[in-house]
Amino acid sequence: MSPASEATPVTADAVTSALGRRPGKVIAVHLNYASRAAQRGRTPAAASYFLKPASSLTGSGTVERPAGTELLGFEGEIALVIGRAARHVRPDDGWGHVGWVTAANDLGLHDLRAADRGSNVRSKGGDGYTPLGPELLPAAELDPAALRVRTWLDGELVQDDTSATLLFDFGHLVADLSRMLTLEEGDVILTGTPAGASVAVPGQVVEVEVGTVDGSRGTGRLRTEVVDGPPLAPWGAAGEVDDATRSDAWGTPPPRLPDAVRERLANVAVATLSVQLRQRGFDSAVIDGVRALAPGRRIVGTARTLRFVPFRPDLFAERGGGFNAQKRAIESVLPGEVLVMEARRDPTAGTLGDILALRARVRGAAGIVTDGAVRDAAAVAATGLSVFSAGTHPAVLGRRHVPWETDVTIACGGATVQVGDVIVGDDDGVVVIPPGLVDEVLAAAEEQEREEHWIAAQVGAGAGIDGLYPLGGRWRERYEAEQEQP
């Protein structure tokens, strides 16, 4: 089978015909995108794999969720189809053994994962659990570092990432597998899924498309409709579902703040929160050097992150254009989240402009923090989005920065920020609160402000500050007595 010069159609009833033969192997990578690793809270040092049976292959069509089961997961992926046998190849040569690229949906029934933990034989191996297509793109005509995978659930974009963010690139995967086994012509490698994989229920439609980052080539949308199926036969392992399984299947999003906690944080001064954090040893919890673009605006939310690296022409050519990390970050921010950008405290080029700020506001973002600059400053402020920056500058980011990666631990204004950290800002600046400390720090800050309001009232009435500020002695006794009164 030699690579075609044009896209090859794949139909639901002719997958093996389109591939030229029925694949002997379907090999899937467990974890291979930085965004997914951040979501899972672990980054593997080496790729790991599992097998799916060739009988699971199909094209666009329907897939059954057995009656009585709950968690049919979908995972949009870039699939590689081997065009030339590979054994003992080097990573630099691995891509040359790939004949085609197409879209895949790595479906799995999480209810059965415990039954075959690690192997995924039944949970991932069901008939129709590996849709491919609808077209095969010739690998020789593609840049392996500039491919994009997108997934829609009922028309809403839920996954969007590029091969530039892979932990293990395509050539590495081919070479790694070829150390121990022969990859044969027509074999399929599922290369991992980015963040956003989740669960589909009967009646919902999952669509996956793979194409070039510049949009010039694409597979078209691989469409899978979930339908009700008959129940599993009573023999064999039964499905097991608990809270951990549900969390894993649905995809664990960054921690969300309860509305009541968000409202309380919005009524406490950042200066007070800073004091409480410092008392607990967090001396670097303030994002230094950033100020509200529109004075008087506050910001409260959970962090998502974006990192820029210093400008380099070759890196900017590779990762600065198209649907780059900056745009992916804006398009993935969720309601109530704060996008925090690491720009190395360099305010000599913009890291945010009005169009992206408007998009973030429309998506419901709580705000944006950057230790770089904002361009189109007046227009950004006019969007109504709370933005904190180290300054303003008219230049575009390509003057100083390359958008590099999202949802990783970053350093912004001297403060470490992780996905899920709680971000609070006002006219004094911005603090970062670890999620596990929020309740404790917030309660202490509220108590501190109650004391300080009472102290201010005494000073306003003519009392001297000796013994009153900070509160001690007879003044504390008086304060505590008054607090006990109904």
mmCIF file of all heavy atoms in Angstrom, residues 64-71 109-113 115 122-123 126-127 129 228-240:
data_model
loop_
_atom_site.group_PDB
_atom_site.id
_atom_site.type_symbol
_atom_site.label_atom_id
_atom_site.label_comp_id
_atom_site.label_asym_id
_atom_site.label_seq_id
_atom_site.Cartn_x
_atom_site.Cartn_y
_atom_site.Cartn_z
ATOM 1 N N GLU A 64 -23.216 2.374 20.308
ATOM 2 C CA GLU A 64 -24.179 2.029 21.358
ATOM 3 C C GLU A 64 -23.577 2.199 22.747
ATOM 4 O O GLU A 64 -22.438 1.792 22.992
ATOM 5 C CB GLU A 64 -24.636 0.576 21.193
ATOM 6 C CG GLU A 64 -25.451 0.329 19.950
ATOM 7 C CD GLU A 64 -25.916 -1.119 19.854
ATOM 8 O OE1 GLU A 64 -25.395 -1.963 20.621
ATOM 9 O OE2 GLU A 64 -26.788 -1.414 19.019
ATOM 10 N N ARG A 65 -24.372 2.805 23.629
ATOM 11 C CA ARG A 65 -24.049 2.762 25.056
ATOM 12 C C ARG A 65 -24.961 1.730 25.680
ATOM 13 O O ARG A 65 -26.185 1.888 25.684
ATOM 14 C CB ARG A 65 -24.259 4.120 25.720
ATOM 15 C CG ARG A 65 -23.711 4.166 27.145
ATOM 16 C CD ARG A 65 -24.137 5.410 27.895
ATOM 17 N NE ARG A 65 -25.541 5.337 28.300
ATOM 18 C CZ ARG A 65 -26.142 6.244 29.070
ATOM 19 N NH1 ARG A 65 -25.481 7.303 29.494
ATOM 20 N NH2 ARG A 65 -27.419 6.099 29.390
ATOM 21 N N PRO A 66 -24.398 0.631 26.212
ATOM 22 C CA PRO A 66 -25.246 -0.426 26.747
ATOM 23 C C PRO A 66 -26.212 0.087 27.814
ATOM 24 O O PRO A 66 -25.831 0.905 28.668
ATOM 25 C CB PRO A 66 -24.244 -1.420 27.343
ATOM 26 C CG PRO A 66 -22.973 -1.171 26.586
ATOM 27 C CD PRO A 66 -22.966 0.298 26.328
ATOM 28 N N ALA A 67 -27.441 -0.369 27.754
ATOM 29 C CA ALA A 67 -28.426 0.003 28.776
ATOM 30 C C ALA A 67 -27.895 -0.382 30.154
ATOM 31 O O ALA A 67 -27.297 -1.448 30.332
ATOM 32 C CB ALA A 67 -29.755 -0.697 28.503
ATOM 33 N N GLY A 68 -28.108 0.495 31.120
ATOM 34 C CA GLY A 68 -27.654 0.240 32.478
ATOM 35 C C GLY A 68 -26.248 0.731 32.753
ATOM 36 O O GLY A 68 -25.769 0.645 33.894
ATOM 37 N N THR A 69 -25.541 1.224 31.720
ATOM 38 C CA THR A 69 -24.214 1.814 31.935
ATOM 39 C C THR A 69 -24.336 3.331 31.892
ATOM 40 O O THR A 69 -25.344 3.885 31.447
ATOM 41 C CB THR A 69 -23.187 1.338 30.896
ATOM 42 O OG1 THR A 69 -23.604 1.755 29.595
ATOM 43 C CG2 THR A 69 -23.054 -0.176 30.928
ATOM 44 N N GLU A 70 -23.274 4.019 32.329
ATOM 45 C CA GLU A 70 -23.380 5.456 32.579
ATOM 46 C C GLU A 70 -22.350 6.290 31.836
ATOM 47 O O GLU A 70 -22.654 7.394 31.386
ATOM 48 C CB GLU A 70 -23.223 5.684 34.091
ATOM 49 C CG GLU A 70 -23.263 7.131 34.536
ATOM 50 C CD GLU A 70 -23.055 7.266 36.035
ATOM 51 O OE1 GLU A 70 -23.225 6.262 36.779
ATOM 52 O OE2 GLU A 70 -22.699 8.372 36.474
ATOM 53 N N LEU A 71 -21.134 5.783 31.694
ATOM 54 C CA LEU A 71 -20.025 6.664 31.339
ATOM 55 C C LEU A 71 -19.352 6.251 30.029
ATOM 56 O O LEU A 71 -18.312 5.596 30.018
ATOM 57 C CB LEU A 71 -18.985 6.690 32.470
ATOM 58 C CG LEU A 71 -19.496 7.109 33.853
ATOM 59 C CD1 LEU A 71 -18.412 6.917 34.892
ATOM 60 C CD2 LEU A 71 -19.971 8.563 33.820
ATOM 61 N N LEU A 109 -15.866 2.802 27.536
ATOM 62 C CA LEU A 109 -16.920 2.672 28.541
ATOM 63 C C LEU A 109 -16.265 2.591 29.914
ATOM 64 O O LEU A 109 -15.754 1.532 30.309
ATOM 65 C CB LEU A 109 -17.769 1.427 28.268
ATOM 66 C CG LEU A 109 -19.056 1.292 29.078
ATOM 67 C CD1 LEU A 109 -20.034 2.421 28.749
ATOM 68 C CD2 LEU A 109 -19.710 -0.066 28.823
ATOM 69 N N HIS A 110 -16.244 3.706 30.624
ATOM 70 C CA HIS A 110 -15.534 3.777 31.895
ATOM 71 C C HIS A 110 -16.121 2.835 32.944
ATOM 72 O O HIS A 110 -15.424 2.464 33.895
ATOM 73 C CB HIS A 110 -15.539 5.218 32.420
ATOM 74 C CG HIS A 110 -14.681 6.148 31.624
ATOM 75 N ND1 HIS A 110 -13.477 6.620 32.077
ATOM 76 C CD2 HIS A 110 -14.856 6.689 30.390
ATOM 77 C CE1 HIS A 110 -12.935 7.406 31.174
ATOM 78 N NE2 HIS A 110 -13.757 7.469 30.138
ATOM 79 N N ASP A 111 -17.371 2.452 32.787
ATOM 80 C CA ASP A 111 -17.986 1.513 33.727
ATOM 81 C C ASP A 111 -17.191 0.216 33.833
ATOM 82 O O ASP A 111 -17.208 -0.458 34.868
ATOM 83 C CB ASP A 111 -19.422 1.180 33.294
ATOM 84 C CG ASP A 111 -20.299 2.399 33.132
ATOM 85 O OD1 ASP A 111 -19.924 3.280 32.323
ATOM 86 O OD2 ASP A 111 -21.356 2.488 33.773
ATOM 87 N N LEU A 112 -16.474 -0.155 32.756
ATOM 88 C CA LEU A 112 -15.760 -1.430 32.723
ATOM 89 C C LEU A 112 -14.249 -1.285 32.903
ATOM 90 O O LEU A 112 -13.514 -2.269 32.761
ATOM 91 C CB LEU A 112 -16.041 -2.151 31.400
ATOM 92 C CG LEU A 112 -17.471 -2.653 31.199
ATOM 93 C CD1 LEU A 112 -17.609 -3.302 29.828
ATOM 94 C CD2 LEU A 112 -17.861 -3.654 32.299
ATOM 95 N N ARG A 113 -13.766 -0.093 33.206
ATOM 96 C CA ARG A 113 -12.319 0.090 33.299
ATOM 97 C C ARG A 113 -11.712 -0.729 34.426
ATOM 98 O O ARG A 113 -10.615 -1.287 34.293
ATOM 99 C CB ARG A 113 -11.981 1.564 33.493
ATOM 100 C CG ARG A 113 -12.177 2.385 32.230
ATOM 101 C CD ARG A 113 -11.626 3.776 32.375
ATOM 102 N NE ARG A 113 -10.170 3.760 32.482
ATOM 103 C CZ ARG A 113 -9.428 4.853 32.634
ATOM 104 N NH1 ARG A 113 -10.011 6.033 32.694
ATOM 105 N NH2 ARG A 113 -8.120 4.769 32.729
ATOM 106 N N ALA A 115 -12.569 -3.526 35.482
ATOM 107 C CA ALA A 115 -12.543 -4.955 35.163
ATOM 108 C C ALA A 115 -11.269 -5.362 34.429
ATOM 109 O O ALA A 115 -10.806 -6.494 34.573
ATOM 110 C CB ALA A 115 -13.766 -5.312 34.319
ATOM 111 N N ARG A 122 -12.022 -4.588 27.414
ATOM 112 C CA ARG A 122 -13.454 -4.451 27.180
ATOM 113 C C ARG A 122 -13.905 -2.991 27.193
ATOM 114 O O ARG A 122 -14.774 -2.599 26.397
ATOM 115 C CB ARG A 122 -14.229 -5.264 28.222
ATOM 116 C CG ARG A 122 -14.162 -6.756 27.973
ATOM 117 C CD ARG A 122 -14.670 -7.559 29.150
ATOM 118 N NE ARG A 122 -13.732 -7.518 30.282
ATOM 119 C CZ ARG A 122 -13.859 -8.236 31.392
ATOM 120 N NH1 ARG A 122 -14.907 -9.052 31.526
ATOM 121 N NH2 ARG A 122 -12.982 -8.160 32.354
ATOM 122 N N SER A 123 -13.323 -2.170 28.062
ATOM 123 C CA SER A 123 -13.785 -0.783 28.169
ATOM 124 C C SER A 123 -13.496 0.021 26.907
ATOM 125 O O SER A 123 -14.259 0.906 26.539
ATOM 126 C CB SER A 123 -13.149 -0.097 29.384
ATOM 127 O OG SER A 123 -11.752 -0.013 29.255
ATOM 128 N N GLY A 126 -14.769 -2.198 22.469
ATOM 129 C CA GLY A 126 -16.080 -2.542 21.929
ATOM 130 C C GLY A 126 -16.207 -2.285 20.440
ATOM 131 O O GLY A 126 -15.487 -1.467 19.859
ATOM 132 N N ASP A 127 -17.121 -3.007 19.812
ATOM 133 C CA ASP A 127 -17.390 -2.776 18.388
ATOM 134 C C ASP A 127 -17.776 -1.314 18.174
ATOM 135 O O ASP A 127 -18.643 -0.771 18.868
ATOM 136 C CB ASP A 127 -18.528 -3.672 17.899
ATOM 137 C CG ASP A 127 -18.110 -5.133 17.801
ATOM 138 O OD1 ASP A 127 -16.902 -5.419 17.931
ATOM 139 O OD2 ASP A 127 -19.003 -5.984 17.583
ATOM 140 N N TYR A 129 -15.871 1.272 18.694
ATOM 141 C CA TYR A 129 -15.271 2.178 19.673
ATOM 142 C C TYR A 129 -14.030 2.898 19.142
ATOM 143 O O TYR A 129 -13.384 3.644 19.890
ATOM 144 C CB TYR A 129 -14.919 1.415 20.955
ATOM 145 C CG TYR A 129 -16.072 1.302 21.933
ATOM 146 C CD1 TYR A 129 -17.387 1.298 21.486
ATOM 147 C CD2 TYR A 129 -15.854 1.202 23.300
ATOM 148 C CE1 TYR A 129 -18.438 1.195 22.365
ATOM 149 C CE2 TYR A 129 -16.905 1.102 24.203
ATOM 150 C CZ TYR A 129 -18.198 1.101 23.732
ATOM 151 O OH TYR A 129 -19.247 1.004 24.613
ATOM 152 N N ASP A 228 -28.876 4.356 22.383
ATOM 153 C CA ASP A 228 -29.090 3.330 23.404
ATOM 154 C C ASP A 228 -28.866 1.943 22.815
ATOM 155 O O ASP A 228 -29.293 1.651 21.694
ATOM 156 C CB ASP A 228 -30.523 3.415 23.942
ATOM 157 C CG ASP A 228 -30.727 4.602 24.869
ATOM 158 O OD1 ASP A 228 -29.952 4.743 25.836
ATOM 159 O OD2 ASP A 228 -31.660 5.391 24.605
ATOM 160 N N GLY A 229 -28.188 1.090 23.575
ATOM 161 C CA GLY A 229 -27.973 -0.287 23.167
ATOM 162 C C GLY A 229 -28.587 -1.234 24.179
ATOM 163 O O GLY A 229 -29.039 -0.817 25.257
ATOM 164 N N PRO A 230 -28.594 -2.509 23.883
ATOM 165 C CA PRO A 230 -29.122 -3.490 24.831
ATOM 166 C C PRO A 230 -28.207 -3.589 26.048
ATOM 167 O O PRO A 230 -27.024 -3.225 25.980
ATOM 168 C CB PRO A 230 -29.132 -4.783 24.027
ATOM 169 C CG PRO A 230 -28.086 -4.588 22.979
ATOM 170 C CD PRO A 230 -28.120 -3.136 22.636
ATOM 171 N N PRO A 231 -28.714 -4.106 27.156
ATOM 172 C CA PRO A 231 -27.865 -4.234 28.340
ATOM 173 C C PRO A 231 -26.786 -5.288 28.134
ATOM 174 O O PRO A 231 -26.908 -6.176 27.280
ATOM 175 C CB PRO A 231 -28.844 -4.643 29.438
ATOM 176 C CG PRO A 231 -29.986 -5.289 28.705
ATOM 177 C CD PRO A 231 -30.087 -4.571 27.400
ATOM 178 N N LEU A 232 -25.718 -5.178 28.932
ATOM 179 C CA LEU A 232 -24.680 -6.201 28.913
ATOM 180 C C LEU A 232 -25.239 -7.506 29.460
ATOM 181 O O LEU A 232 -26.091 -7.506 30.368
ATOM 182 C CB LEU A 232 -23.489 -5.762 29.765
ATOM 183 C CG LEU A 232 -22.715 -4.534 29.275
ATOM 184 C CD1 LEU A 232 -21.709 -4.099 30.344
ATOM 185 C CD2 LEU A 232 -22.017 -4.824 27.964
ATOM 186 N N ALA A 233 -24.784 -8.615 28.915
ATOM 187 C CA ALA A 233 -25.198 -9.923 29.442
ATOM 188 C C ALA A 233 -24.772 -10.036 30.913
ATOM 189 O O ALA A 233 -23.788 -9.426 31.331
ATOM 190 C CB ALA A 233 -24.576 -11.041 28.613
ATOM 191 N N PRO A 234 -25.493 -10.824 31.712
ATOM 192 C CA PRO A 234 -25.247 -10.863 33.156
ATOM 193 C C PRO A 234 -23.972 -11.580 33.566
ATOM 194 O O PRO A 234 -23.552 -11.487 34.717
ATOM 195 C CB PRO A 234 -26.490 -11.577 33.696
ATOM 196 C CG PRO A 234 -26.977 -12.414 32.557
ATOM 197 C CD PRO A 234 -26.677 -11.615 31.329
ATOM 198 N N TRP A 235 -23.347 -12.360 32.675
ATOM 199 C CA TRP A 235 -22.106 -13.034 33.057
ATOM 200 C C TRP A 235 -20.914 -12.095 32.840
ATOM 201 O O TRP A 235 -20.977 -11.141 32.090
ATOM 202 C CB TRP A 235 -21.939 -14.333 32.268
ATOM 203 C CG TRP A 235 -22.166 -14.181 30.793
ATOM 204 C CD1 TRP A 235 -21.276 -13.792 29.859
ATOM 205 C CD2 TRP A 235 -23.395 -14.407 30.107
ATOM 206 N NE1 TRP A 235 -21.842 -13.751 28.620
ATOM 207 C CE2 TRP A 235 -23.151 -14.131 28.740
ATOM 208 C CE3 TRP A 235 -24.676 -14.824 30.500
ATOM 209 C CZ2 TRP A 235 -24.143 -14.242 27.765
ATOM 210 C CZ3 TRP A 235 -25.651 -14.931 29.528
ATOM 211 C CH2 TRP A 235 -25.397 -14.658 28.182
ATOM 212 N N GLY A 236 -19.806 -12.417 33.488
ATOM 213 C CA GLY A 236 -18.624 -11.568 33.391
ATOM 214 C C GLY A 236 -18.689 -10.425 34.380
ATOM 215 O O GLY A 236 -19.635 -10.271 35.168
ATOM 216 N N ALA A 237 -17.637 -9.612 34.372
ATOM 217 C CA ALA A 237 -17.531 -8.505 35.327
ATOM 218 C C ALA A 237 -18.656 -7.503 35.110
ATOM 219 O O ALA A 237 -19.014 -7.174 33.976
ATOM 220 C CB ALA A 237 -16.182 -7.821 35.168
ATOM 221 N N ALA A 238 -19.188 -7.021 36.219
ATOM 222 C CA ALA A 238 -20.214 -5.990 36.162
ATOM 223 C C ALA A 238 -19.546 -4.620 36.136
ATOM 224 O O ALA A 238 -18.390 -4.458 36.509
ATOM 225 C CB ALA A 238 -21.137 -6.101 37.376
ATOM 226 N N GLY A 239 -20.286 -3.641 35.662
ATOM 227 C CA GLY A 239 -19.758 -2.282 35.659
ATOM 228 C C GLY A 239 -19.618 -1.742 37.075
ATOM 229 O O GLY A 239 -20.409 -2.063 37.959
ATOM 230 N N GLU A 240 -18.578 -0.925 37.278
ATOM 231 C CA GLU A 240 -18.345 -0.289 38.577
ATOM 232 C C GLU A 240 -18.169 1.209 38.353
ATOM 233 O O GLU A 240 -17.306 1.629 37.583
ATOM 234 C CB GLU A 240 -17.087 -0.853 39.235
ATOM 235 C CG GLU A 240 -17.153 -2.333 39.585
ATOM 236 C CD GLU A 240 -15.878 -2.800 40.265
ATOM 237 O OE1 GLU A 240 -15.174 -1.955 40.844
ATOM 238 O OE2 GLU A 240 -15.579 -3.999 40.179
#
